[in-house]
Amino acid sequence: METTSSSRVGTQPAETPAPPQTVPQEHPQPADAAAAPVPAARRAAEGYLRADFPWYGLDGAFTGPRWLMQVAAGADGTVEHGSTGHGDEPSARGEIATGEKERFAVVITVASNPLRRSGDGTGVLEATSVSSAAWLAGSGLLAYSWPGQMDHSLRDDWLDQQTEAAWELADDLAGADWSTLSLPVDGEPTLFHYRESEFGWVLAGSTGSGVHLGAYGRGMSAYGIGFSVIGDFGAYE
C-alpha cells in the first residue's frame, strides 16, 4: 500500500459530519446583502468548490435525499478528499437508539496523487491509492456503528481496535476478505473491491477521471448503485 499508517490520508477517520464554515468575504458587500444570512448549503459547498478534482456521488438512479459531509485539506490548504451522503443521515447508535433501520450510502472522493516532492523540496508527500479510499470508507462506516450491548465507556477502545483492523484490510485488497464488484461510474462498468460486515458494506475503486472512490453504507444494497460526477451541489442540502 502506498500510504503509511502515520499519514492515512490525513488520519481523519470517518468523515463525520462537521458544521459548515463561513468563508470570509474578499470584497465589501452592500449593507443589505451583508444582513442576509448565507444559506448553510452554499457555505458548506465552498470547501468542495476549492478542489481541483471532480467530486462523485450516487448517480441519477438514486432519488432520495443528498447531503454534504466533510472536506479534508492538507497543511497547505490543498483539498485532499471529502464525502457526500445519500439517504438517511446516520448516527453512531443508529438502530440501537431509534429502533429504525437507517438506509444510507456515503461516497468518498480521494484526489489521485502520485508520490511527489513537497512544495519546498524538503520531503516527499505520500501517494494516494485505492487502498487510501478503502481505509477512509472502512473507518467511516465504523464511526457510524455501535455494537449491540456495548457500554459507552468501551466503545472508544473498540473503535480504535476496529479502525486498525480496517487499515490492515485496506492494505490487503487482494486478500480473502475482499471480493470484486462491477458498478457503473459515469455510465462505464468499473471494478471495485468490496466487502461486507455486520455493520454494513465498504467498497473502493478508481475512476478514469483521476480520483479514487470509496463508499460505505447500510440498509441500501451496494449491488444496485452507480456513481457519477456531481455537476451541481445544489442537489445536496
Side-chain angles (χ1 to χ4, degrees), residues 151-202:
D151 183 82
H152 186 280
S153 62
L154 299 176
R155 185 174 181 270
D156 286 346
D157 290 339
W158 174 86
L159 189 58
D160 288 342
Q161 294 170 357
Q162 293 302 311
T163 299
E164 187 64 31
W167 173 253
E168 293 173 358
L169 284 168
D171 200 23
D172 185 23
L173 293 176
D177 292 291
W178 296 89
S179 60
T180 56
L181 181 63
S182 179
L183 297 172
V185 177
D186 293 324
E188 295 294 327
T190 303
L191 199 63
F192 286 87
H193 300 277
Y194 174 77
R195 67 179 177 87
E196 293 182 357
S197 73
E198 61 181 304
F199 305 112
W201 51 263
V202 169

Side-chain angles (χ1 to χ4, degrees), residues 94-143:
E95 189 175 353
I96 294 176
T98 65
E100 298 180 0
K101 188 172 184 179
E102 297 171 334
R103 299 181 68 255
F104 68 89
V106 172
V107 180
I108 302 169
T109 307
V110 183
S112 179
N113 291 323
L115 197 65
R116 64 204 191 282
R117 302 294 298 182
S118 60
D120 58 8
T122 60
V124 176
L125 301 180
E126 297 290 347
T128 58
S129 67
V130 177
S131 290
S132 307
W135 180 76
L136 287 168
S139 59
L141 179 62
L142 290 170

Side-chain angles (χ1 to χ4, degrees), residues 25-38 42:
Q25 297 287 347
E26 296 181 1
H27 305 288
Q29 299 294 315
D32 56 346
V38 179
R42 197 174 84 197

